[in-house]
Amino acid sequence: MTTENALSVRTREAAPERMPSLERIRQEVAEVLDLAPEDVPEELNLIEIGLHSLAIMSLIGPISRLAGVRLDYADLAAMPTVRAWNALVERKLAAAL
């Protein structure tokens, strides 16, 4: 494999990591709730579509990885919307700079 091909493969493999956090969060929530990502509204309180405390606990890891710091239950439970969690991730990322 040439260097150019190896770089191309690595770039394609890394592409999901560069997906905007809003869409990544939506995908994580959809997976936990067994929904299609397009069925997870950005601004709706996720409790209204079935999010519960154990589901929030299972989302702490993936959303913490997006934020680059460990979040806790209270961080996510305080405002359970995709948009609010995205704003939280963006604030944490900005603070790390």
Side-chain angles (χ1 to χ4, degrees), residues 7-88:
L7 179 58
S8 177
V9 168
R10 280 194 302 260
T11 302
R12 281 194 307 268
E13 290 172 354
E17 296 301 318
R18 290 194 305 261
M19 183 185 299
S21 59
L22 184 81
E23 291 308 313
R24 295 272 312 278
I25 293 168
R26 184 191 312 270
Q27 285 183 346
E28 294 291 344
V29 170
E31 185 175 315
V32 166
L33 296 179
D34 198 27
L35 297 170
E38 58 271 10
D39 293 336
V40 178
E42 291 178 21
E43 304 216 10
L44 181 70
N45 183 323
L46 297 170
I47 304 297
E48 294 180 28
I49 59 171
L51 189 75
H52 50 80
S53 59
L54 292 175
I56 292 173
M57 294 295 292
S58 71
L59 289 165
I60 291 172
I63 296 175
S64 291
R65 282 189 290 282
L66 285 173
V69 297
R70 180 77 176 157
L71 302 175
D72 60 30
Y73 180 85
D75 293 324
L76 300 184
M79 184 62 109
T81 70
V82 170
R83 187 171 297 273
W85 290 352
N86 184 64
L88 174 65

